[in-house]
Amino acid sequence: MARSVHTITIPSATRYLEDVRRFVRRHATRAEFSVETVNALQLAVDEACANVIEHAYGGVESNSIDVDVVVKRDCLTVRIRDEGEPFIDAAYREPDIFEYASKKKSGGFGVHLMRKLADRVEYRSRGKSNICCLTMYRQDAPQKNR
Amino acid sequence: MSNFSVGFRSSGPVTILDLNGELDAHTASELEAAIQRCKDDQHVKIVVNGDQLQYISSAGLGVFMAYIEEVREAGGDIKIASLQPKVFNVFDLLGFPMLFDIVDQEAEAVSKFESHPGAQPGNGSES
């Protein structure tokens, strides 16, 4: 059961990513997660929101993204909710940086970073909503599923 | 208002870019413009000083990725120096130290251009 839930809603524009990072940092720090975990979480959430802005909403800034920080006894989950094009997790493949450099590609690392940084990454769809959940467990919690 | 800026300095033939603030999907275009300006001016010996860089996301890393081959093809390199540990960690997570020359000190990066102008880290073809 959640001990606390905190929500911020931002327009789907990259200039608001900083606000999301501050929001996540504030609540994860208050929930007494380590500095390393807070750093990893805020980057993972930034990547998730940037993906929504660029891919789910195709750069259209008039939509919105809801970000919930759900603090529980053993973990913290950030839920990122949008109503754009759904992300197809099965299409993911790990990027090869040498291939990316030779093709002069500037994007495509976000999902990879999220998977590296968060203990658990899940995607759900509910009606028109797409929800990405990023979970960090407390260091003494038993389960990890990177 | 952007919380990121790029300062330009020169050390002989080397252009030093001082990154300041937070580099994310919103501010990455400013780094892109700075590197493009170096390229346009044919200043392709570039050292990026990350001493004041507080944060980087994949969008910032992607700028380095997009330009590294072009800069090397032009006879230069993008060497990265003085990263804070939390920022270096992000480069490291994606394996960037295999592709980029990342050193502790700016002076070391500059001197590498003098001794090995086109030096590159491992590119998968070392013997």
Side-chain angles (χ1 to χ4, degrees):
Chain A
M1 191 159 157
R3 292 169 67 186
S4 59
V5 181
H6 313 273
T7 301
I8 185 173
T9 298
I10 61 162
S12 53
T14 54
R15 62 184 174 278
Y16 297 99
L17 291 173
E18 184 186 351
D19 296 342
V20 173
R21 293 199 297 271
R22 301 281 178 275
F23 177 79
V24 168
R25 169 169 290 280
R26 183 164 71 248
H27 290 294
T29 301
R30 276 187 193 159
E32 299 182 331
F33 281 80
S34 69
V35 171
E36 292 76 18
T37 300
V38 173
N39 286 342
L41 182 66
Q42 75 162 4
L43 177 53
V45 173
D46 178 318
E47 298 293 349
C49 291
N51 278 345
V52 168
I53 292 166
E54 182 179 353
H55 300 295
Y57 287 134
V60 176
E61 298 188 351
S62 55
N63 298 293
S64 63
I65 304 170
D66 299 321
V67 178
D68 302 328
V69 174
V70 183
V71 181
K72 297 182 181 176
R73 187 180 53 80
D74 63 337
C75 67
L76 184 155
T77 297
V78 179
R79 294 188 300 233
I80 298 113
R81 191 166 49 249
D82 68 83
E83 294 190 350
E85 289 295 315
F87 172 74
I88 302 168
D89 195 29
Y92 166 81
R93 75 179 178 94
E94 192 166 321
D96 175 333
I97 60 167
F98 295 105
E99 181 190 336
Y100 274 45
S102 68
K103 291 181 176 173
K104 303 178 173 58
K105 285 183 73 169
S106 63
F109 317 110
V111 173
H112 184 58
L113 264 184
M114 286 160 60
R115 287 168 174 254
K116 287 248 182 191
L117 292 163
D119 291 335
R120 179 176 290 187
V121 180
E122 296 167 288
Y123 295 93
R124 301 175 197 152
S125 287
R126 191 170 300 159
K128 288 195 299 182
S129 294
N130 311 305
I131 303 167
C132 172
C133 295
L134 301 170
T135 298
M136 305 298 265
Y137 292 98
R138 293 194 190 275
Q139 283 173 349
D140 55 352
Q143 68 273 50
K144 290 220 168 188
N145 179 24
R146 285 182 190 269
Chain B
M1 174 99 172
S2 169
N3 61 346
F4 175 77
S5 63
V6 183
F8 291 78
R9 283 185 290 132
S10 292
S11 175
V14 179
T15 299
I16 298 160
L17 302 181
D18 291 308
L19 308 192
N20 195 309
E22 301 188 8
L23 185 51
D24 64 7
H26 187 55
T27 57
S29 59
E30 294 179 47
L31 175 61
E32 191 176 354
I35 296 178
Q36 184 62 47
R37 183 174 143 188
C38 292
K39 257 191 74 216
D40 291 346
D41 293 342
Q42 298 181 328
H43 294 160
V44 290
K45 294 179 178 178
I46 301 167
V47 170
V48 171
N49 185 319
D51 183 52
Q52 296 300 314
L53 183 64
Q54 309 296 328
Y55 176 84
I56 192 165
S57 72
S58 70
L61 296 169
V63 177
F64 294 116
M65 186 65 90
Y67 277 95
I68 189 64
E69 285 298 318
E70 278 184 68
V71 168
R72 285 178 177 163
E73 283 163 10
D77 196 11
I78 301 172
K79 299 183 189 297
I80 298 164
S82 304
L83 293 176
Q84 297 187 18
K86 65 181 178 184
V87 173
F88 173 79
N89 186 45
V90 185
F91 279 82
D92 197 33
L93 272 174
L94 289 178
F96 272 46
M98 290 190 294
L99 185 62
F100 289 85
D101 206 352
I102 303 176
V103 298
D104 288 342
Q105 302 294 330
E106 178 189 305
E108 186 184 350
V110 171
S111 70
K112 281 189 164 193
F113 276 116
E114 290 155 5
S115 51
H116 305 288
Q120 297 179 20
N123 59 7
S125 60
E126 306 149 287
S127 56

